[in-house]
Amino acid sequence: MTEHALPTIDDVRAAAERIRPHVHRTPVFTSRLLDERVGTSVYAKAENHQKIGAFKARGALNAVLSLDDASRAAGIATHSSGNHAQAVAYAAALVDVPATIVMPDHAPSVKVEAVRALGASIVTCRQDQRERILADVVSRSGATVVHPYDDPSVVAGQGTATLELLEEVTDLDVVVTPIGGGGLLTGATLVAADAGLQTIGAEPSIVDDAHRSLRDGVRHPPTGAISVGDGLLTGMGEIAFQVLSQHGVEILTVDEDEIMEATRFVITRTKHLIEPSSGTAFAALFRYRRRFEGLRVGVIVSGGNVELSRLTD
């Protein structure tokens, strides 16, 4: 797989073998109350129980473990609002190289503190400065960038969550994931398409660039707005745009109140602590219930790194 090639299902399978010793095989949970609310059978892959509390560990590990010694020598750098930041910090610590993370100033403190605890250096900036500040960091240090979503190795790693889901639940009809940059949904689409299944993305309506991009056939920039789904604020990457366009993937949008209501529902009814970015996928099931009636639905629960005060705000 060359640097600029689109990832394939074979890359996902190779990633699964590469990262297997360093990640959890997370459980799949069900809930009668959730099924009743949606009107169908839901199987949720609990990546909130993954290393660093999110699926992002998969992609970061696959990318870092794929690098040669020369690429690791000056350290690793990235930008992220939190979960990818933690994932890169974890992966860098595993191979004993320094990591520098550019984080927006609105990032939840629980994620910032976790990144720092993993030994990474943090550079704070405004949301719209992330790419520029990262470029400055790389220019000064020579660090290798592990992009949060527009990297074939990262996307392949994210796809391993859906690979495990389909190994455990063999008769699904559709897989639903949240979308920000698109790495998770793109990886899921590679796996689901190989199995003949559909994928659907869920996105906050306040940051709906992915929905508009796939609808209009042109990649729109991020809106710049701030959502409770803090992990979904980045614009959709070029890899995601190409793969999701090729497979005709649709993005469903949901409002902020719907995201928080769905997040609280999952936490209180299933006892799984999820973050609002994950709640976006469940909010889509609730709002578009008729779309999913009679289908067996898989959901990738993207993460569980949440400040509890936000749930009661």
Side-chain angles (χ1 to χ4, degrees):
M1 182 175 64
T2 64
E3 182 180 357
H4 301 292
L6 293 180
T8 68
I9 183 61
D10 288 337
D11 296 321
V12 178
R13 293 185 180 120
E17 293 302 314
R18 185 176 296 115
I19 69 175
R20 192 184 308 279
H22 309 293
V23 297
H24 297 313
R25 186 180 179 94
T26 52
V28 176
F29 69 86
T30 59
S31 164
R32 176 182 58 81
L33 293 173
L34 180 59
D35 288 353
E36 290 175 356
R37 177 67 185 269
V38 180
T40 189
S41 299
V42 179
Y43 299 85
K45 177 73 166 167
E47 287 294 288
N48 51 314
H49 295 297
Q50 187 52 264
K51 295 282 190 179
I52 67 91
F55 77 96
K56 293 281 192 176
R58 297 173 180 272
L61 277 166
N62 189 50
V64 170
L65 294 175
S66 298
L67 296 174
D68 58 28
D69 291 341
S71 298
R72 297 176 187 171
I76 307 297
T78 194
H79 69 79
S80 168
S81 63
N83 286 340
H84 180 68
Q86 294 175 75
V88 169
Y90 168 62
L94 189 70
V95 297
D96 195 26
V97 298
T100 302
I101 316 295
V102 176
M103 300 189 74
D105 51 19
H106 62 79
S109 61
V110 65
K111 297 183 179 181
V112 175
E113 292 163 6
V115 172
R116 190 170 286 118
L118 286 163
S121 299
I122 298 174
V123 179
T124 304
C125 67
R126 296 200 314 264
Q127 169 70 13
D128 61 356
Q129 295 179 317
R130 288 162 57 148
E131 294 279 1
R132 182 179 67 79
I133 299 300
L134 175 61
D136 290 343
V137 169
V138 172
S139 177
R140 292 194 306 269
S141 68
T144 297
V145 174
V146 176
H147 198 275
Y149 48 86
D150 225 4
D151 180 315
S153 294
V154 169
V155 171
Q158 316 304 30
T160 63
T162 301
L163 196 67
E164 290 179 9
L165 172 64
L166 298 191
E167 287 172 355
E168 185 162 340
V169 187
T170 58
D171 51 356
L172 292 177
D173 297 301
V174 61
V175 176
V176 180
T177 87
I179 181 170
L184 178 62
L185 181 59
T186 303
T189 298
L190 294 173
V191 176
D194 183 68
L197 308 182
Q198 180 186 13
T199 51
I200 293 176
E203 182 177 44
S205 57
I206 198 171
V207 285
D208 66 342
D209 62 281
H211 166 74
R212 290 181 291 109
S213 296
L214 294 179
R215 180 196 65 194
D216 300 341
V218 58
R219 190 157 65 103
H220 292 294
T223 67
I226 302 297
S227 167
V228 293
D230 61 87
L232 308 177
L233 304 183
T234 51
M236 181 170 63
E238 181 61 30
I239 291 175
F241 179 67
Q242 291 189 46
V243 173
L244 300 181
S245 295
Q246 289 172 8
H247 291 277
V249 175
E250 183 181 5
I251 310 298
L252 304 177
T253 60
V254 289
D255 295 335
E256 298 296 285
D257 287 347
E258 293 173 316
I259 295 171
M260 289 309 300
E261 194 278 329
T263 301
R264 292 191 187 100
F265 181 95
V266 173
I267 291 172
T268 57
R269 301 302 185 186
T270 74
K271 312 308 177 188
H272 281 266
L273 182 62
I274 69 168
E275 58 189 86
S277 297
S278 298
T280 302
F282 293 99
L285 298 186
F286 294 172
R287 180 173 186 175
Y288 302 93
R289 172 177 170 143
R290 291 187 178 179
R291 289 283 302 274
F292 298 99
E293 281 186 324
L295 300 179
R296 291 169 62 84
V297 181
V299 175
I300 306 297
V301 182
S302 55
N305 294 314
V306 61
E307 290 190 63
L308 296 180
S309 61
R310 292 193 174 192
L311 299 179
T312 57
D313 189 352

